[in-house]
Amino acid sequence: MRPLLLKGHERSLTQVKYNREGDLIFTVAKDKEASVWYSFNGERLGTFSGHGGTIWSIDVDQKSELLLTGSADFSVKLWNVSNGENVFTWSCVSPVRRVEFNPSNDKFLAVMDAVMGHKGDISVFNINKETPTKQDEEPILVIPTYEGLERVSVAGFSYLGKYIIAGHQDGTVSKYDAKTGEFINSVKVHEGLVTDLQFSEDRTYFITSSKDKSSKILDVDNLNILKKFESDSPLNSAAITPLKNFVVLGGGQEARDVTTTAANQGKFEARFYHKIFEDEIGRVKGHFGPLNYIAIHPKGTGYASGGEDGYVRVHNFDKSYFDFKYDVEITAEAAAASKENNQD
Amino acid sequence: MTDIEPLNTEGKKVKITQKVKEVIVKETVNKEVAKRKKWAKFGAEKNAAPGPDFRTTQVGEPVYLRLGTAWKALEKEEEEKSAQEAAKTNTYQRIKCRTCGGAHYTAKCPHKETLGGDPAIGGGASGSPAPEDSGASGAAGASASAAAAGKYVPLHIRNRAAGIEPEKRGDRDDSNTLRVSQLNEIVTEQMIRNELFANFGPLARVNIVRNRETGRSKGLAFVQFHTESAAQRAMEALNGRGYHSLILQVEFSKPKR
Amino acid sequence: MGLEQPKLEDIPVDDIDFSDLEAQYAVEDDTSFDKYLVVDGAPIAPEAKVPILTKVLTKLLSQHGTVTNFYMPIEDGKTRGFAFVEYETPEIVEKTIKSLNGKKLDVKHRLFLNKLTDIEKYGAEGNVTDDFQEPQLPPFEETDYLRSWLQDESGRDQFILQKQEMVGVFWNKKKENPEPAIEPRLNWTTSFIKFSPKGSYVFSIHPQGLQAWGGRDFKSLKRFSHPGVRLIDFSPDEKYLISLSPEPIILPPEDHPKRASFPFGPESEGHKLIIWDIATGLPARTFALPPHLEQRKEMIWPLLKWSHDGKYVARLGPNALAIYDATEDFALLDKKPLKIDNIMDFEFAPHGVQLATAKKQDPLTHVLAYWTPETGNQTARVALLEVPSKKVLRTINLFQVSDVKLHWQDNAEYLAVKVDRHTKSKKTLFTNLEFFKLNEKEIPVEKIELKDRVVNFGWEPKGDRFVTISRPEVQGANPAIARNAITFYAPELPSKGKIANLKKWIAFKVIEPKFSNTINWAPKGRFLVISTVGTSSQGGLEFYDMDYPGEKKESESTQVNAHVREIGKLEYAGLTDLEWDPSGRFVAAWSSFWRHKIENGYRLLDLAGHVLREELIDDFKAFIWRPRPESLLTGGDRKKVRKNLREYSAQFDESDAMEASEATRELILNRRRLLEEWTSWRSTIDSHKDDYGIVQESTSNEDEEVIEEIKEEILEEKEEIVA
């Protein structure tokens, strides 16, 4: 496959996202400007400027009308996707590490960093979809960092927006009622910072990635660890592929930890694992620095990775990707198929 | 468009030139998507021409994703292959000065005077087995060794002592070649490749010495490896081993330098 | 009368000792009727003709010894149609009966000869009861299911390995060690061991005869007593076994206790060839070896050839062909052999023939082909004969013929006749191939003339393509130089715009020079192995695919429906034999101790020539695949299998991998468990979805439209090193 290289950012990428149909890719980096691209040909549609610092996070609503960005400049901004207009800005108490719409797009959460005495929290805001320029300044719910846990690094909404799941700096994953903010339970999943948390298509399970070089799949309902993926370098991102039973992990030794970058040029890789069998089944090379974020096309036909090197690489899978199956899977399918045939 | 990549795999600056054509592709998509396709560009892209801009968008070099639990082995295999190919293309660099080891002809060596000329002629600097060479050091002493012994040493052996084979067969490099003798007559090239030497690394060449008239094997074969270490391992493993009722004798086809 | 004679009555006879006289004059009391023969069926003649009739019969009956007494009873002035004949010894009686019993005297009269003792024994009233006594049936003995090996779950094939004095039956495990089906047996057979054509039985050879084995544990099923047996063969339906021994059958003497249980009757005395009914273990028919074969060093085998369905069996006699009906107790068709002068060889069609003259619903015709050589003014001939009508369907005349070989295509659509001809000087040989097209009207014959001599010919099974190996015939050629050519033939495709032209075979590929001498087609066609067998230095196998899927090269012929490509190759110096497995997926190649002692052992290859297994075994003798009966699948079943082949093959791959090692097995089982766990977890989640109120988004194609996009396409990419 020939990837498309998106070179619109001057500094490391922080997050990359597809919209619901997968025709647009939204990218944010440490360079204060967000970009939107057509995924088909890599053409940049436009940029969103206004932030005064690193943009840590970006999210787009289901209809690809409104866009949220959370920045280190202590603000969350709401944008009009079609023309790049900044329609509203929320001022926050600390840098914003993550923003995410709930599934029905009437609320969003913002993860507040713990800096300058602030202990960090998850703030939930209402969204006024009718007149986007008029929004409530104040959050409707603030979930402070739970007693005994370190600050929240990532968070997201489960199916139906019922729960909020958060990943913490100490490797814990915790769960809250999204309406009341009530703490439900927490599980120590990783030995280090939880760097990413992405949900499955139906939001009934999710995958985490961590600096402890592993990635795990957990059940939303009981926070049971279902799967575990081991790697040999710190992980920054993990994503679940629709269509195929794979997961894609991204990461790499950080630049300052690597002695000779020249030797490893272009060898920062996206790692493919089998979601059920937990085996590593392949890698894609290309980045010149660690992979900071991996986003899968919503239809499962490709993926985009944002790197420390400032590039976004957009890949469309070859036929072999779709054909690949374990013998066990083929056998099981054949058995199911023959069962069906017999019933006819 | 062109792009200069800082360094390529061999550590050289490389200029990559791509000729790119813009093509129009028709695609069936969701209505919403189609609508978005007609949006005017904004922000930094305001008023930009339709189609991708090469300053921000580029088609990358192909990358490969070969799925399978054995992907590591596959990758390794490929790396080895490309390394071998690289080794092949690098053969032109084999010119090596015998005096100083530099990449020039020995005759043109700038250190010719200071280092005392061709050690092959001199009889070898340090590796010489001449027993009476105890006190003498350097090229001159060694060169005297053959003569000082006072007996005739055939030319090829004299040279062998020096660790250099006479240049018989052009420039063929025989340093990775094993000489396998006491082979059973029925042994074929195929058997040597697949049975005897299958596990020591890739083979460059296998030759069985045959009677020119009858085509019968003379029980002698030459096996060339790509690397000396592989050849060494094979020799250690197979020398003295029984194969088809005979005990193999495996040695380097010429003594190591 | 002075002296009175004593009266005879007064002499006390009892007192006289006559013993000396009795001894002296004793008449040998010959009460045995061994020397008597009863002739039946003689003409009933008036008294006047008795002398002539007596003369004729006496002369006829004294072929094997003098008639010492001839008595023909007369009643009412006429003979009664029978006579008593006395000979000097009982042996003459036996011989006479053997040669003349059933002799036709004229159109109306046939002589029947019997020993007088037999008439006494069986003819006299009361000696044989008139009441029918039901024969005692031996209790039924259950045998194992003879086709149990076909029920193997993974459908594997079995084979026999014969090494030293051991014989073992194994399951084919491809790369892995073959799995023994039974404990290998020491001295199971004294020479070879052979499967019956459908694999139900295996026969071992012993000095006393044969033994049949079968079932899951290869238990002994039946014994066939045939001392000194050398060669065996079977009817194609596995009903009959044929055995040949150089030792003739000798009946034990009449009064010997063994006589009662001896399976052969007196008519089999001296016979060497036996047809056995395998199921009962009893002989069905015996034959004497024709005199011209008695002296042969190397026996022609099989001596009996069967029609495809086992209904007819025929054997070659001097100037005649004897055809027997196996369903009628092996009675000779029309009670006499078919006279064909100088007949050299014949072959039954291996399949019923659909003649153009026959109606579709008629049963297929039995056909055989034979040939006769040139004699005097006669040309050589190849003829097709319909059985049982003995009607000649087609003949061709040939001249300057030195040898003929008959090669039936296995569907009996074609008969290829390889005619080796010589030039007038008789110095060089060359071959013509004559093709009978049996399904066409009047059975047309197509001819291919070649410059070289064809040494080997092979039809593609179920196909209409064939391969030949040929070489120019040169006197005193150096055998170390390869001279053979492999030629591939296929029917010419009808050219465009023309109506299907007559079937013509064209040589579309020739590979030369080669040492190859043997053709082995895969049992299902398409693939074949061409090998060099029996020469210690050049041995090897080459695998060809006749329908190679790739594009044809420009140089390759497009006139035929075939694309041949070498797909594998293996040097094998010691190769003596090779055999495809019944499924056509594997080839066993071996070097047999019976042929030479070079590298004895076997190799198991896949159909592309990759070596799966190799074993060097001292004194390795043979590798024998167990044949399979024809498949029970219908055409529809086959289609279905072919359609789902991908899925099946995945299952097979998996079971193969599991076979490969315990570790992989564990891994696969573990993966199965993982997959199952995941699917079941997902299905519980899915079933909860409704409770949660999660609605699956439906994506419809309705609101779609076509747009145009601009995309970059790389035309060229150059990499230059910047100095």
Side-chain angles (χ1 to χ4, degrees):
Chain A
M1 38 185 191
R2 263 186 191 276
L4 287 166
L5 268 59
L6 312 184
K7 300 178 162 181
H9 294 280
E10 283 155 18
R11 294 195 54 201
S12 317
L13 272 291
T14 51
Q15 201 169 21
V16 178
K17 280 222 174 136
Y18 281 94
N19 66 340
R20 193 184 66 163
E21 287 78 21
D23 61 319
L24 298 178
I25 296 172
F26 297 88
T27 60
V28 283
K30 291 183 176 167
D31 64 0
K32 305 173 194 172
E33 267 195 13
S35 292
V36 58
W37 316 75
Y38 290 116
S39 65
F40 179 75
N41 57 2
E43 177 181 358
R44 184 154 75 170
L45 169 62
T47 57
F48 305 84
S49 33
H51 275 298
T54 298
I55 309 176
W56 288 117
S57 182
I58 190 162
D59 198 23
V60 63
D61 72 352
Q62 298 279 313
K63 292 180 172 170
S64 304
E65 287 168 356
L66 294 173
L67 184 73
L68 279 172
T69 52
S71 164
D73 67 357
F74 291 52
S75 74
V76 172
K77 281 181 187 288
L78 187 67
W79 311 82
N80 189 331
V81 176
S82 64
N83 55 16
E85 197 185 321
N86 178 12
V87 289
F88 196 80
T89 303
W90 287 270
S91 304
C92 303
V93 287
S94 65
V96 181
R97 303 294 300 207
R98 242 326 138 102
V99 284
E100 192 175 307
F101 283 107
N102 71 345
S104 51
N105 294 166
D106 52 4
K107 288 179 202 159
F108 74 90
L109 65 78
V111 174
M112 304 297 171
D113 208 348
V115 284
M116 298 183 292
H118 184 73
K119 284 195 173 148
D121 63 54
I122 303 168
S123 301
V124 180
F125 297 84
N126 261 333
I127 292 260
N128 177 357
K129 281 190 278 191
E130 274 66 50
T131 36
T133 47
K134 292 210 172 107
Q135 304 286 354
D136 279 342
E137 288 269 4
E138 292 307 312
I140 54 163
L141 187 68
V142 174
I143 306 168
T145 306
Y146 194 71
E147 198 75 24
L149 299 180
E150 288 181 31
R151 70 160 176 102
V152 173
S153 50
V154 287
F157 286 98
S158 77
Y159 57 89
L160 299 172
K162 196 172 176 188
Y163 307 110
I164 289 172
I165 312 276
H168 296 256
Q169 192 172 13
D170 55 4
T172 308
V173 168
S174 56
K175 181 167 121 180
Y176 311 86
D177 187 310
K179 281 208 181 75
T180 61
E182 191 190 334
F183 171 83
I184 296 170
N185 63 338
S186 71
V187 183
K188 178 95 162 113
V189 176
H190 290 289
E191 295 306 315
L193 172 71
V194 179
T195 49
D196 193 16
L197 193 158
Q198 294 195 34
F199 284 88
S200 68
E201 225 179 340
D202 61 3
R203 295 188 168 261
T204 56
Y205 60 97
F206 59 92
I207 188 166
T208 59
S209 67
S210 166
K211 288 289 180 198
D212 72 357
K213 304 183 181 178
S214 74
S215 163
K216 285 169 190 179
I217 286 184
L218 283 83
D219 186 343
V220 164
D221 282 338
N222 48 24
L223 295 190
N224 282 347
I225 297 174
L226 299 172
K227 297 290 164 192
K228 187 177 171 186
F229 310 97
E230 302 279 359
S231 120
D232 54 6
S233 60
L235 296 175
N236 294 330
S237 184
I240 298 165
T241 62
L243 210 66
K244 303 292 290 182
N245 282 323
F246 305 149
V247 300
V248 189
L249 312 183
Q253 292 293 342
E254 277 179 41
R256 59 171 183 270
D257 300 332
V258 181
T259 44
T260 48
T261 35
N264 276 329
Q265 269 198 13
K267 295 215 171 153
F268 288 90
E269 296 157 315
R271 296 132 191 264
F272 286 73
Y273 285 71
H274 197 280
K275 183 169 74 185
I276 297 169
F277 307 127
E278 304 177 346
D279 302 322
E280 184 169 355
I281 50 173
R283 292 186 180 190
V284 173
K285 293 184 169 74
H287 279 288
F288 292 86
L291 280 70
N292 287 343
Y293 204 86
I294 285 175
I296 313 280
H297 191 289
K299 291 192 177 118
T301 56
Y303 79 99
S305 54
E308 188 74 19
D309 57 4
Y311 291 150
V312 176
R313 297 173 70 92
V314 183
H315 309 78
N316 281 310
F317 295 126
D318 292 333
K319 187 173 175 294
S320 64
Y321 168 90
F322 303 103
D323 291 345
F324 175 78
K325 270 175 199 162
Y326 274 58
D327 289 345
V328 177
E329 291 177 280
I330 302 172
T331 318
E333 276 167 32
S338 67
K339 207 183 264 174
E340 240 164 67
N341 277 347
N342 290 344
Q343 282 165 355
D344 290 346
Chain B
M1 61 156 293
T2 59
D3 181 32
I4 294 181
E5 304 265 338
L7 290 170
N8 77 348
T9 42
E10 280 123 46
K12 292 216 176 66
K13 275 202 171 176
V14 170
K15 186 169 99 179
I16 296 173
T17 317
Q18 284 184 340
K19 263 196 193 167
V20 177
K21 187 174 89 175
E22 289 193 340
V23 287
I24 293 173
V25 186
K26 284 194 178 166
E27 224 194 342
T28 312
V29 294
N30 184 302
K31 274 212 166 110
E32 293 298 315
V33 176
K35 212 185 277 172
R36 290 200 279 271
K37 208 66 218 177
K38 289 171 194 144
W39 283 353
K41 291 188 180 180
F42 56 85
E45 295 290 333
K46 199 166 180 171
N47 300 327
D53 182 341
F54 71 83
R55 281 170 300 190
T56 55
T57 308
Q58 206 183 311
V59 180
E61 281 177 56
V63 290
Y64 303 99
L65 175 59
R66 279 184 204 82
L67 295 176
T69 43
W71 66 275
K72 271 180 192 155
L74 272 176
E75 214 158 77
K76 206 175 159 195
E77 204 172 274
E78 256 169 40
E79 268 170 25
E80 268 173 23
K81 209 189 270 173
S82 61
Q84 260 179 44
E85 252 155 51
K88 252 183 232 166
T89 54
N90 281 343
T91 44
Y92 62 86
Q93 288 183 336
R94 285 204 181 274
I95 301 168
K96 193 178 172 190
C97 171
R98 278 173 297 190
T99 311
C100 69
H104 49 248
Y105 290 106
T106 311
K108 291 181 179 165
C109 182
H111 311 287
K112 205 156 127 191
E113 308 304 319
T114 46
L115 286 176
D118 189 343
I121 301 160
S126 50
S128 168
E132 70 277 57
D133 193 20
S134 51
S137 68
S143 104
S145 67
K151 44 186 168 175
Y152 175 71
V153 181
L155 189 66
H156 66 280
I157 291 177
R158 211 183 298 163
N159 280 344
R160 184 173 289 181
I164 278 139
E165 191 86 323
E167 300 264 302
K168 279 189 296 194
R169 297 240 169 163
D171 329 316
R172 197 169 69 198
D173 179 32
D174 276 343
S175 61
N176 304 335
T177 305
L178 295 181
R179 181 181 185 275
V180 185
S181 51
Q182 297 193 47
L183 273 170
N184 193 316
E185 258 182 42
I186 59 161
V187 175
T188 61
E189 268 97 347
Q190 200 97 11
M191 291 159 76
I192 293 185
R193 273 184 192 277
N194 300 341
E195 297 174 8
L196 273 176
F197 288 92
N199 301 323
F200 303 102
L203 300 179
R205 165 179 83 90
V206 175
N207 270 337
I208 289 182
V209 182
R210 294 180 183 278
N211 182 317
R212 208 170 289 175
E213 314 272 290
T214 63
R216 271 171 59 166
S217 159
K218 288 185 168 177
L220 176 68
F222 291 94
V223 179
Q224 186 178 16
F225 282 84
H226 284 294
T227 62
E228 198 177 302
S229 62
Q232 179 78 34
R233 264 187 292 131
M235 187 187 84
E236 281 160 13
L238 293 178
N239 191 17
R241 212 192 86 169
Y243 186 64
H244 285 282
S245 350
L246 291 178
I247 291 169
L248 294 179
Q249 196 177 334
V250 184
E251 58 198 351
F252 271 98
S253 105
K254 73 175 190 186
K256 279 199 273 180
R257 290 177 196 210
Chain C
M1 300 283 274
L3 193 69
E4 210 175 24
Q5 291 280 323
K7 277 188 179 160
L8 198 66
E9 295 85 10
D10 298 339
I11 302 170
V13 182
D14 294 347
D15 297 351
I16 305 169
D17 182 8
F18 289 116
S19 58
D20 54 335
L21 290 171
E22 274 175 13
Q24 192 177 345
Y25 295 103
V27 174
E28 219 172 298
D29 185 15
D30 195 358
T31 48
S32 88
F33 296 106
D34 280 355
K35 293 190 266 181
Y36 294 92
L37 182 76
V38 180
V39 181
D40 256 321
I44 296 170
E47 213 174 336
K49 293 216 171 156
V50 167
I52 290 184
L53 190 58
T54 308
K55 200 177 166 188
V56 169
L57 289 177
T58 314
K59 193 182 172 193
L60 179 72
L61 294 168
S62 41
Q63 280 179 10
H64 298 279
T66 326
V67 172
T68 51
N69 205 340
F70 186 89
Y71 171 63
M72 189 151 48
I74 296 166
E75 204 175 81
D76 299 335
K78 274 182 188 170
T79 64
R80 300 182 60 195
F82 61 85
F84 299 93
V85 188
E86 188 190 344
Y87 290 98
E88 280 169 338
T89 63
E91 284 73 41
I92 304 173
V93 176
E94 299 248 353
K95 276 188 187 165
T96 311
I97 292 175
K98 202 175 260 177
S99 70
L100 294 173
N101 187 19
K103 172 86 183 167
K104 260 188 166 178
L105 207 58
D106 55 44
V107 188
K108 279 184 195 162
H109 300 95
R110 187 188 283 267
L111 295 182
F112 296 101
L113 311 183
N114 280 297
K115 289 186 213 169
L116 185 56
T117 49
D118 284 353
I119 301 272
E120 287 272 297
K121 205 163 151 191
Y122 304 113
E125 203 141 322
N127 274 2
V128 177
T129 60
D130 288 342
D131 300 330
F132 172 66
Q133 276 196 330
E134 206 168 328
Q136 282 233 320
L137 287 175
F140 176 67
E141 277 177 57
E142 204 170 352
T143 53
D144 273 1
Y145 179 47
L146 292 179
R147 291 186 171 177
S148 57
W149 94 101
L150 297 173
Q151 296 169 323
D152 179 50
E153 273 199 20
S154 12
R156 297 171 299 179
D157 276 301
Q158 282 189 346
F159 56 77
I160 282 181
L161 291 181
Q162 206 181 343
K163 45 191 172 187
Q164 292 114 25
E165 303 312 318
M166 293 288 267
V167 175
V169 183
F170 299 90
W171 292 102
N172 178 15
K173 301 256 285 175
K174 293 179 260 188
K175 286 186 180 168
E176 309 306 318
N177 266 326
E179 179 189 319
I182 49 161
E183 191 68 24
R185 296 177 185 172
L186 189 65
N187 297 323
W188 193 355
T189 178
T190 51
S191 59
F192 59 91
I193 189 156
K194 199 168 179 177
F195 279 110
S196 58
K198 293 174 197 285
S200 306
Y201 308 93
V202 62
F203 287 85
S204 60
I205 312 290
H206 306 276
Q208 312 78 24
L210 296 145
Q211 196 158 2
W213 310 78
R216 200 171 57 87
D217 301 320
F218 288 89
K219 284 190 193 132
S220 172
L221 299 173
K222 281 281 180 303
R223 289 159 185 268
F224 304 86
S225 164
H226 197 183
V229 60
R230 287 278 172 80
L231 292 165
I232 64 171
D233 192 30
F234 305 92
S235 71
D237 53 5
E238 272 188 356
K239 238 181 123 179
Y240 300 104
L241 161 74
I242 299 114
S243 63
L244 177 74
S245 163
E247 296 170 30
I249 298 169
I250 297 167
L251 265 69
E254 196 123 349
D255 48 352
H256 197 277
K258 270 193 183 163
R259 180 71 184 246
S261 62
F262 199 67
F264 302 101
E267 72 284 349
S268 296
E269 180 89 48
H271 288 181
K272 294 179 174 178
L273 186 64
I274 307 172
I275 301 179
W276 303 86
D277 185 322
I278 296 176
T280 62
L282 295 173
R285 175 92 202 231
T286 60
F287 295 105
L289 200 59
H292 68 284
L293 290 178
E294 285 283 5
Q295 304 307 323
R296 276 186 85 100
K297 272 190 189 157
E298 221 169 298
M299 186 52 63
I300 304 169
W301 193 252
L303 281 174
L304 293 172
K305 291 180 185 169
W306 298 80
S307 67
H308 65 278
D309 51 2
K311 183 165 163 53
Y312 300 105
V313 58
R315 63 186 190 124
L316 210 57
N319 296 324
L321 182 67
I323 308 172
Y324 304 87
D325 189 335
T327 57
E328 299 279 341
D329 280 337
F330 295 95
L332 200 54
L333 275 191
D334 306 331
K335 301 196 175 68
K336 61 177 182 202
L338 180 65
K339 202 168 147 44
I340 304 167
D341 283 334
N342 294 315
I343 180 167
M344 292 298 284
D345 198 9
F346 74 99
E347 292 289 345
F348 267 106
H351 194 273
V353 177
Q354 176 71 54
L355 293 170
T357 50
K359 289 190 192 106
K360 281 267 186 266
Q361 64 269 26
D362 287 349
L364 297 176
T365 314
H366 291 86
V367 175
L368 67 79
Y370 65 85
W371 74 279
T372 54
E374 278 169 291
T375 44
N377 290 333
Q378 279 282 357
T379 57
R381 264 194 194 144
V382 175
L384 294 177
L385 189 75
E386 190 181 308
V387 178
S389 70
K390 297 186 180 172
K391 196 171 88 188
V392 174
L393 299 169
R394 182 81 159 87
T395 34
I396 52 168
N397 296 315
L398 305 161
F399 52 94
Q400 290 172 12
V401 171
S402 47
D403 194 15
V404 168
K405 283 270 168 348
L406 305 161
H407 298 276
W408 282 97
Q409 181 244 16
D410 66 351
N411 277 344
E413 293 162 73
Y414 314 106
L415 166 69
V417 179
K418 182 174 86 78
V419 185
D420 288 346
R421 300 183 56 197
H422 48 79
T423 50
K424 275 195 182 143
S425 63
K426 298 203 175 182
K427 268 185 185 154
T428 42
L429 283 172
F430 60 97
T431 297
N432 284 359
L433 295 169
E434 311 266 356
F435 293 87
F436 289 76
K437 292 179 264 189
L438 281 100
N439 296 358
E440 289 176 36
K441 226 182 224 168
E442 287 164 4
I443 313 183
V445 176
E446 179 77 37
K447 185 180 196 170
I448 300 178
E449 295 186 29
L450 302 169
K451 288 199 188 80
D452 294 349
R453 194 163 84 90
V454 171
V455 291
N456 219 320
F457 180 97
W459 279 109
E460 177 178 22
K462 317 271 176 231
D464 52 9
R465 302 178 288 194
F466 62 89
V467 174
T468 64
I469 296 176
S470 58
R471 63 163 161 255
E473 203 60 39
V474 184
Q475 300 272 322
N478 181 356
I481 296 166
R483 203 173 272 112
N484 291 3
I486 307 166
T487 316
F488 298 83
Y489 291 86
E492 188 175 20
L493 289 172
S495 41
K496 267 179 203 160
K498 261 196 210 164
I499 328 156
N501 39 2
L502 287 174
K503 189 156 245 167
K504 244 177 126 173
W505 282 270
I506 50 178
F508 65 94
K509 179 143 183 155
V510 182
I511 301 171
E512 61 183 351
K514 288 283 190 184
F515 285 105
S516 317
N517 52 19
T518 312
I519 303 167
N520 286 76
W521 280 94
K524 306 252 179 345
R526 179 169 168 182
F527 299 98
L528 73 155
V529 178
I530 300 211
S531 54
T532 312
V533 168
T535 64
S536 55
S537 54
Q538 309 294 346
L541 306 91
E542 284 157 29
F543 290 73
Y544 292 92
D545 181 354
M546 289 290 276
D547 296 306
Y548 190 77
E551 280 283 305
K552 279 189 186 184
K553 282 188 207 152
E554 256 178 51
S555 58
E556 287 173 308
S557 170
T558 52
Q559 283 173 288
V560 290
N561 197 3
H563 183 200
V564 71
R565 189 64 68 84
E566 182 185 300
I567 52 172
K569 196 175 184 168
L570 174 75
E571 280 182 31
Y572 194 164
L575 180 67
T576 61
D577 300 87
L578 75 148
E579 197 184 344
W580 284 87
D581 83 318
S583 71
R585 293 175 300 156
F586 306 102
V587 174
W590 66 98
S591 162
S592 170
F593 164 75
W594 284 325
R595 299 282 296 278
H596 59 214
K597 289 188 179 176
I598 302 167
E599 250 189 280
N600 289 150
Y602 75 91
R603 296 185 197 187
L604 184 65
L605 307 135
D606 67 9
L607 61 71
H610 303 122
V611 179
L612 301 176
R613 263 192 85 68
E614 179 174 1
E615 273 194 87
L616 287 172
I617 301 164
D618 286 343
D619 297 356
F620 182 81
K621 288 173 176 168
F623 186 113
I624 310 156
W625 289 104
R626 186 172 199 173
R628 281 172 173 260
E630 53 285 9
S631 164
L632 298 173
L633 295 183
T634 61
D637 293 339
R638 280 162 208 265
K639 243 183 205 167
K640 214 165 158 190
V641 169
R642 217 163 284 150
K643 212 180 107 198
N644 298 327
L645 198 60
R646 271 180 74 116
E647 281 148 25
Y648 290 125
S649 71
Q651 293 180 39
F652 296 147
D653 287 347
E654 188 183 293
S655 59
D656 280 358
M658 280 172 68
E659 288 281 312
S661 77
E662 195 52 34
T664 350
R665 191 187 164 78
E666 290 279 299
L667 188 70
I668 288 171
L669 288 178
N670 187 38
R671 279 183 189 153
R672 263 192 207 163
R673 184 180 53 77
L674 288 174
L675 185 63
E676 219 157 86
E677 277 175 11
W678 181 267
T679 353
S680 78
W681 177 68
R682 286 312 298 165
S683 65
T684 56
I685 292 284
D686 281 344
S687 61
H688 288 330
K689 269 187 179 171
D690 292 342
D691 307 343
Y692 294 153
I694 299 175
V695 189
Q696 210 55 26
E697 274 183 62
S698 63
T699 46
S700 67
N701 293 345
E702 275 172 34
D703 45 18
E704 284 188 344
E705 65 180 68
V706 177
I707 55 159
E708 286 184 349
E709 307 212 49
I710 302 169
K711 200 180 178 181
E712 287 184 337
E713 200 171 78
I714 292 182
L715 296 177
E716 246 182 76
E717 199 169 38
K718 269 191 222 158
E719 204 178 288
E720 297 165 48
I721 293 176
V722 184

